[in-house]
Amino acid sequence: MRPGDTVRPGSAEEVAAVVRECYARRLPLVPLGAGTGFARGHETTGAEVVVDLGGLDRVRSFDPLLWRMEAEAGVALRTVQRLARENGLHFPVDPGAAELSHVGGAVATNAGGPHTFKYGSMRAWVLGLEAVLAPGELVRIGGPVRKDVAGYDLVSLLCGSEGTLGIVTAAWLRLAPAPAGSWPVVARAADAAALQAGVEQALASGVTPSALEFLDATSARAAGREGPMLIAEADGGEHERDALVEAIGGAPADPAELWRWREGVAYAVEALEGAKLSEDVCVPVDRLAELLDGHAGIAARHGLTPAAWGHAGDGNVHATFCHAPGDAARAERAAQDLFALAIDLGGTITGEHGIGLAKAGWLERQWPPAAVAAQEAIKRTLDPLGLLNPGKKAARPTGSRASA
Amino acid sequence: MRPGDTVRPGSAEEVAAVVRECYARRLPLVPLGAGTGFARGHETTGAEVVVDLGGLDRVRSFDPLLWRMEAEAGVALRTVQRLARENGLHFPVDPGAAELSHVGGAVATNAGGPHTFKYGSMRAWVLGLEAVLAPGELVRIGGPVRKDVAGYDLVSLLCGSEGTLGIVTAAWLRLAPAPAGSWPVVARAADAAALQAGVEQALASGVTPSALEFLDATSARAAGREGPMLIAEADGGEHERDALVEAIGGAPADPAELWRWREGVAYAVEALEGAKLSEDVCVPVDRLAELLDGHAGIAARHGLTPAAWGHAGDGNVHATFCHAPGDAARAERAAQDLFALAIDLGGTITGEHGIGLAKAGWLERQWPPAAVAAQEAIKRTLDPLGLLNPGKKAARPTGSRASA
């Protein structure tokens, strides 16, 4: 192995051997899933060994009657979803690229999606993990057990750690019975204030919507629809749909048609001006309108077209700056203002995409110094040579990190 | 402050000051909630300063329309549940001592209960934490935000860490709309094999039961009922109840009456012979019958009366050894065999009570060495002087821990 090489292990034991060799030879490494992440978490400088986990593509076990599956890191989420569906079950984690993205990447980023509002992020569906820890030890933590408080929650620590604390090779996943159906309700929302009011009305409906999404006028128009709009989905029955209709004043929509064009929104927005920068800031729900209005203001100041859509019920906005293909730097500068706004509103710079390189260094603006220090101490103690996905998820700008 | 003192801070800042002073003077400390834990996590040797968190008893904010609350560590869970209920909402974490136990203790142990089967343990309901980290820094991680993947998941790391990594002073809690109702269904189960079959039938019903509990003949008899029995509760509507009746062949029961006597079972079993030792081992659901039969065999070998009840759907059994008040040592020896059995069956020594002192040293039997080393490295890096709740949640028997 040399820097710049891509290796494709065929088993967890082979991943452990790669990490052992990298650790012995002080070679940095970058784990690679499907490569669908938005935060540049799988980007390489050419100096690392890329560990392509696509060869770990076996479903090791599937017990539909026990609501569980053990899947290797390279299994596509769509495979998990399909197997569940074919057996009357449900795996509700559906990030934007669910067709392509892998179990390992979804664990590494703690992936979300529209149905996170009711069902939680990836972590909520992981019972246990198999992972390689530095300097090359294959461990299993948890397993097909639904409750376990014996050790510190290393499963959660690895979920969302973006390959900087270990490399996930397999996950035991929890499944649930399929919901009764999908009954989306669509309502118009004149502006950001009306949108936030609509979200709060949905929360007061007595129903937990399975998704509570929104699109602003620009992103709706990109998809050939009229916006801005609020989408509240019920999945428990028609009585839930009726409660949502009454709460938000909307009308039922065809679920298959709705989710088909909704999933294409990111690409449709990209086509508006040829390129876009799309973030995933997240704020308390009662700050949603301020975030949306502030995002529009930032875009205006930078001479960019704003578009926004996403997971309104979670306060999680894909705040986007449309730009010409050659104009990425301006969008990057606008994104910095957006991150600062999200933090000012008591929110987070990332609700579901992660830090990667895209937001590296920003955590120290969001967290108090002692929490940043705890994160850095954990990184140093679990990856003492700093070889696991270097530079990713960094809490402080490179160069400012205190030495160990 | 001197070893053996109990201090009762009135604010999070005062907790930070106590930890700072303890760290400066190398005084060990034990955080104390309501003291209802079963794992001896709040036990003192007399050499520690006890930090009684009962003075932090304010609900700092409650936004029913936004489904959230910020509660200090000393707020009783019943207060959280009552406020939720009075506002059409639901806080589903209900450990055995919910009447007395505190938010801080529920976080520190990642508490469970009957409704964990559908709704998850305490962690699933915590959006953010305020905590004091060594050497005395008050930090806020997360907050009233529903999704956040900006940093490592320090919230999960603190949940269930039993006060060994920091002292939780407040939590932002998530709430949800109240379920439609409570429709328990009770079925007879002749033996452990029939019980496991009943659980699997409930899982095949198409419904996610809000609770899936069981009682063996002894524990049911202690409560004046006839067992063994399986209890499957629906909370989504009568159609769910009907599906569960069909699946497990049982009959509907009155929910208020059922949960009232069910909550008294632990005390009723204790009264059988004057004392008991009750554990909370947890196994994959398909190993439930082996666990129950094995537990009975262990009791017989040690000359003790077994009783078992608990969260069948989670494979989480309150495997109990009844004994005369003077015969605790024999029950302790039997419990060691029980822990070994749970690990042999691919399970865990604790599903919801935690390690405390009761199971200290057992994690190294359950986890691979590299995972144990990771836990110990995290403890050392976040509590370098080892002053936070010393000896609790220890992965290896005291004295065998490797030096840093």
Side-chain angles (χ1 to χ4, degrees):
Chain A
M1 283 191 305
R2 290 186 307 188
D5 281 0
T6 294
V7 297
R8 192 177 161 90
S11 69
E13 289 73 17
E14 287 179 32
V15 177
V18 167
V19 174
R20 264 196 302 278
E21 184 175 343
C22 284
Y23 239 78
R25 296 174 52 201
R26 302 200 167 218
L27 290 173
L29 53 84
V30 174
L32 178 63
T36 55
F38 284 125
R40 299 166 52 205
H42 54 281
E43 198 168 291
T44 64
T45 65
E48 302 94 349
V49 173
V50 175
V51 185
D52 177 354
L53 296 158
L56 277 70
D57 60 356
R58 290 183 309 131
V59 173
R60 292 184 184 166
S61 69
F62 176 35
D63 298 298
L65 295 176
L66 300 169
W67 301 2
R68 70 189 191 207
M69 184 188 299
E70 185 187 358
E72 291 185 339
V75 171
L77 283 187
R78 69 174 162 197
T79 302
V80 177
Q81 291 168 340
R82 178 180 54 77
L83 287 170
R85 196 169 52 238
E86 289 172 356
N87 288 275
L89 296 171
H90 185 46
F91 184 75
V93 183
D94 56 348
E99 283 294 303
L100 299 171
S101 60
H102 290 176
V103 166
V107 171
T109 59
N110 192 14
H115 293 93
T116 297
F117 180 74
K118 180 169 181 175
Y119 293 103
S121 298
M122 187 68 177
R123 171 63 188 99
W125 298 86
V126 173
L127 296 170
L129 289 177
E130 181 190 78
V132 179
L133 303 181
E137 297 280 348
L138 186 65
V139 299
R140 292 178 185 84
I141 308 164
V145 184
R146 292 174 56 96
K147 292 166 84 176
D148 185 3
V149 291
Y152 291 155
D153 191 353
L154 300 189
V155 170
S156 289
L157 192 62
L158 287 168
C159 280
S161 69
E162 303 182 22
T164 64
L165 300 179
I167 299 182
V168 170
T169 53
W172 283 269
L173 302 175
R174 187 167 72 84
L175 305 167
S182 166
W183 290 274
V185 174
V186 177
R188 294 294 302 281
D191 55 20
L195 178 71
Q196 182 176 311
V199 168
E200 296 182 2
Q201 286 153 7
L203 297 186
S205 69
V207 171
T208 300
S210 48
L212 193 48
E213 300 278 300
F214 84 103
L215 295 96
D216 73 356
T218 304
S219 52
R221 191 177 63 244
R225 297 301 190 284
E226 198 175 346
M229 68 170 74
L230 175 65
I231 305 168
E233 185 192 51
D235 71 354
E238 295 181 357
H239 61 292
E240 289 192 353
R241 176 201 62 197
D242 296 345
L244 290 175
V245 166
E246 186 173 350
I248 69 171
D254 176 59
E257 201 258 342
L258 174 82
W259 289 113
R260 192 167 53 241
W261 72 255
R262 165 64 186 84
E263 278 165 19
V265 163
Y267 304 99
V269 170
E270 184 147 14
L272 285 176
E273 300 190 7
K276 67 166 170 51
L277 182 64
S278 202
E279 295 300 343
D280 67 316
V281 290
C282 187
V283 296
V285 173
D286 47 327
R287 313 305 291 272
L288 182 61
E290 288 169 89
L291 176 65
L292 292 171
D293 289 338
H295 166 237
I298 291 166
R301 281 202 302 281
H302 289 268
L304 294 160
T305 306
W309 69 94
H311 318 306
D314 282 324
N316 188 191
V317 175
H318 293 309
T320 299
F321 301 102
C322 303
H323 61 83
D327 215 7
R330 198 144 46 111
E332 293 285 354
R333 286 192 298 272
Q336 305 295 305
D337 292 353
L338 178 74
F339 299 152
L341 173 65
I343 293 170
D344 284 347
L345 293 174
T348 173
I349 52 178
T350 176
E352 56 182 23
H353 293 170
I355 297 292
L357 287 178
K359 294 158 212 157
W362 267 89
L363 188 66
E364 71 163 348
R365 304 272 292 267
Q366 183 174 323
W367 272 11
V372 169
Q375 165 149 331
E376 293 182 340
I378 290 168
K379 167 68 175 175
R380 277 196 305 272
T381 201
L382 296 188
D383 179 22
L385 299 182
L387 300 176
L388 299 176
N389 216 5
K392 314 297 168 52
K393 214 174 180 84
R396 290 190 274 176
T398 309
S400 78
R401 214 171 316 173
S403 57
Chain B
M1 283 192 304
R2 290 187 306 190
D5 281 358
T6 294
V7 297
R8 191 177 162 92
S11 70
E13 290 72 19
E14 288 180 31
V15 177
V18 168
V19 174
R20 264 197 304 279
E21 183 176 343
C22 285
Y23 238 78
R25 296 174 51 201
R26 303 202 167 215
L27 290 173
L29 53 84
V30 174
L32 177 64
T36 55
F38 284 127
R40 300 166 51 203
H42 54 282
E43 198 168 292
T44 64
T45 65
E48 303 94 348
V49 172
V50 175
V51 185
D52 177 355
L53 296 158
L56 277 71
D57 60 356
R58 290 184 310 133
V59 174
R60 292 183 184 166
S61 69
F62 176 36
D63 298 298
L65 295 175
L66 300 169
W67 299 1
R68 70 190 190 207
M69 184 189 298
E70 185 186 359
E72 291 185 339
V75 172
L77 283 187
R78 70 176 161 193
T79 303
V80 178
Q81 292 168 341
R82 177 179 55 78
L83 287 170
R85 194 170 53 238
E86 289 172 355
N87 288 274
L89 297 172
H90 185 47
F91 184 75
V93 183
D94 56 348
E99 284 293 302
L100 298 172
S101 60
H102 290 176
V103 166
V107 170
T109 58
N110 192 14
H115 294 93
T116 298
F117 180 74
K118 180 168 181 176
Y119 294 102
S121 299
M122 188 69 178
R123 172 62 189 100
W125 297 87
V126 173
L127 297 170
L129 288 177
E130 180 190 80
V132 178
L133 305 181
E137 296 279 349
L138 186 64
V139 299
R140 293 178 184 82
I141 308 164
V145 184
R146 292 174 57 96
K147 292 166 80 175
D148 185 1
V149 292
Y152 293 154
D153 191 352
L154 301 190
V155 171
S156 290
L157 192 62
L158 286 169
C159 281
S161 69
E162 303 182 21
T164 64
L165 300 179
I167 299 183
V168 170
T169 52
W172 283 271
L173 302 176
R174 185 167 73 84
L175 304 166
S182 167
W183 291 273
V185 174
V186 176
R188 293 291 304 278
D191 55 19
L195 178 71
Q196 182 175 313
V199 169
E200 296 183 2
Q201 286 153 6
L203 297 185
S205 68
V207 171
T208 301
S210 48
L212 194 46
E213 300 278 300
F214 84 103
L215 294 96
D216 74 355
T218 303
S219 50
R221 192 176 60 243
R225 298 300 191 281
E226 199 176 347
M229 67 170 75
L230 174 65
I231 305 168
E233 184 192 52
D235 70 354
E238 294 180 357
H239 61 291
E240 289 191 353
R241 176 201 61 196
D242 296 345
L244 289 175
V245 166
E246 186 172 349
I248 67 171
D254 176 59
E257 201 259 341
L258 175 81
W259 289 113
R260 192 169 50 241
W261 71 255
R262 164 65 186 84
E263 277 165 22
V265 162
Y267 303 98
V269 170
E270 183 147 13
L272 285 176
E273 301 192 5
K276 68 167 172 44
L277 181 63
S278 200
E279 296 299 344
D280 66 314
V281 290
C282 187
V283 296
V285 173
D286 47 327
R287 313 303 291 272
L288 182 61
E290 288 169 89
L291 176 66
L292 292 172
D293 288 338
H295 165 237
I298 290 166
R301 281 202 301 282
H302 289 269
L304 294 160
T305 306
W309 70 93
H311 319 306
D314 282 324
N316 189 190
V317 175
H318 293 310
T320 299
F321 301 102
C322 304
H323 62 84
D327 215 8
R330 197 143 46 112
E332 293 286 353
R333 287 193 297 273
Q336 306 294 306
D337 291 354
L338 178 74
F339 298 152
L341 172 65
I343 294 171
D344 285 347
L345 293 174
T348 174
I349 51 178
T350 175
E352 55 182 23
H353 293 170
I355 297 293
L357 287 177
K359 295 159 210 159
W362 267 90
L363 188 66
E364 73 164 347
R365 304 271 293 265
Q366 182 175 324
W367 273 12
V372 169
Q375 165 149 329
E376 292 182 341
I378 290 167
K379 168 67 175 177
R380 277 195 304 273
T381 200
L382 296 188
D383 179 23
L385 299 183
L387 300 177
L388 299 176
N389 217 4
K392 314 298 167 53
K393 214 174 179 80
R396 291 190 273 175
T398 309
S400 78
R401 212 171 315 172
S403 55

